[in-house]
Amino acid sequence: MSKPFYVTTPIYYVNSDPHIGSAYTTIVADVVARYKRMLGYDTFFLTGTDEHGQKIMRAAKEKGMEPKDFVDELAQKFIKLWKELDISNDLFIRTTDDYHVKTVQKLFQKMYDKGDIYLGKYEGWYCVYDETFWTEKDVGADKLCPVCHRPLEHVEEENYFFKLSKYTKPLLDHFKTHPDFVEPDFRKNEMLKILEGGLEDISVSRTSFNWGIPLPFDQKHVIYVWFDALVNYVSAIGYGRDDEMFKKYWPADVHFVGKEINRFHSLIWPAMLMSAELPLPKKIFAHGWLTVNGEKISKSKGNAVDPRVLVNAYGLDAVKYYLLRDISFGNDGDFSEDNLIVRINADLANDLGNLVHRTLSMVNQNFSELPSPKVESAVDEDLKNLLLKTIDDYFKYMEKFKFTESLTQIWDLIKFSNKYVDLTEPWLLAKDPSKHERLGTVLYNLVDVMRNVSIMLSPIMVKTAQNLSNKINQKIDVNLLGWHKTISGVKIEVGDPLFPRIDTTIWKKVIKMVETNEQVSDKKPEITIEDFAKLDLRVARIKQAERVPKSDKLVKLLLDIAGEERQIVAGIGAVYTPESLIGREIIVIYNLKPAKLMGVDSNGMLLAAKDGEKLRILTVDGFVETGAKIS
């Protein structure tokens, strides 16, 4: 009986427009699902849509529609997109599905019966856009959402609360006994820091609207959308209705999520499972964000690129190859159309495409069918050793979700195979009848490499791998990875090149950034010298730096200003790591009125230059004593 493997993406907010950033998680999860199926695992791959909440209700009302009719229409765009991207999910779950509703109510009843849910009153700030609650200390004087920077709404209503604080120590213990529970390590450390500060009880219900799942023990309340959504991971595989299926696939092997929802998945979801006395997932993998051509993805910038536009222009396999080869999974990364074109021309058309085309052409020109290897040499041994090492590295890196490293190893093998052609000079061997068997061996060895490459690429570049295996008339079978397992005596088809080169002199790129007049609109009114004299600008040296919990951008800095220690908070964490800031001499507004940012005191402001999403802090030219005034 094959071993089960359960992989999930987060369910996507149904009223959002899919773009290359949101597709990224699903593409990666699909690669992992295909890889595990290739190895013989009984794999279950889940994705879907999140369809409840206040924002959906308001959007439906604006359209003059009932919420259910509204989400029925919107869910189809995700279903259609995943089909067009050849995503191999086993189930597409919707949080409006009847079985999901019943499962959510069953799980919450169990948590309530345990005494982990209690009635209270919530008073604070709520972001309708992100469906997130924020405390007074989080939001600052402007009352803007710390994540999306939209205006918050003040909420005061009767809510049920979950005793999240009760699970602080159990979660800390779990993190310590399961060091790979959250990856990458720096994401785990962010969660540990929150845990070490202690968790607070959180609201799990709303009464100000009714588009949600009613609490089973109090029908006046609907379950807060995030808690409803998290339960999809167990409702999809039969919790409470199909014990055999649930026992087979749970706990999940890996939840793939974006870093912005890591806290929900790595802290709140495990605490809910502990309350319901269910096993925790084996791994949460929180990856970084994608930017496009150096800019954060947003509608206003015109770079919320529909992945179908890229696929139609460059092909699905090329886009997937670029995403996994150029962007180190786990970190933030930039989707550059220029770099995509470079990868297509250099890696796919030149390295792989040329190797395949010229090798198969020589086979057809000199043999009626693929010959057998008969005359070996030392350079063949080099090719063999590299092939076997590549196979070992492939499995090692794929198991750790290190796709960039895995593809790098495969392409090192492809590049050496091209070098092998230059070293063996098959075009000269073809001119000498006495070296015909040696020619056959060289060409067989190259086809043997192609067969192995097609197997290793099959979870990532599905059509390319199948096309290549068809050309060489071989099976894609992971059990046949290895040296000289290619079947000889078969017909070879040359056909068209796998990847035609892109002529950059005439090619028109498909990502068109919206041109804005930001420089004009950001122009400030003129001031007098007296106005400028009110600013007290001084040189400061950064002594300590650390990230502000729950924020990807804010960094807390301890400054030395002429012997005075002063703390400020700066929104530079997306560009600078805390370690890279220590010792830098910066310019600060010394007499700025103190403020709180996400509950952290800030007494001053550093100066920085910003161009779109690019940001650089201002420093002084050469050594200057701290406290020196800027004039």
Side-chain angles (χ1 to χ4, degrees), residues 383-394:
L383 184 63
K384 172 186 174 182
N385 291 336
L386 181 58
L387 171 63
L388 296 178
K389 178 182 181 299
T390 301
I391 294 169
D392 288 342
D393 288 342
Y394 170 77

Side-chain angles (χ1 to χ4, degrees), residues 536-543 558-566 584-586 588 590 623-629:
D536 188 354
L537 303 177
R538 301 194 187 188
V539 175
R541 185 175 295 112
I542 301 174
K543 295 179 63 177
L558 182 64
L559 307 179
D560 173 13
I561 306 177
E564 174 195 354
E565 286 191 347
R566 180 178 287 213
R584 293 188 184 230
E585 291 179 344
I586 60 174
V588 297
Y590 184 74
F623 178 79
V624 178
E625 290 288 351
T626 62
K629 290 191 175 185

Side-chain angles (χ1 to χ4, degrees), residues 256-276:
F256 287 118
V257 301
K259 67 179 183 180
E260 73 280 7
I261 54 176
N262 188 18
R263 182 171 60 94
F264 286 97
H265 286 80
S266 297
L267 301 180
I268 297 174
W269 174 228
M272 291 169 62
L273 291 168
M274 287 178 174
S275 176

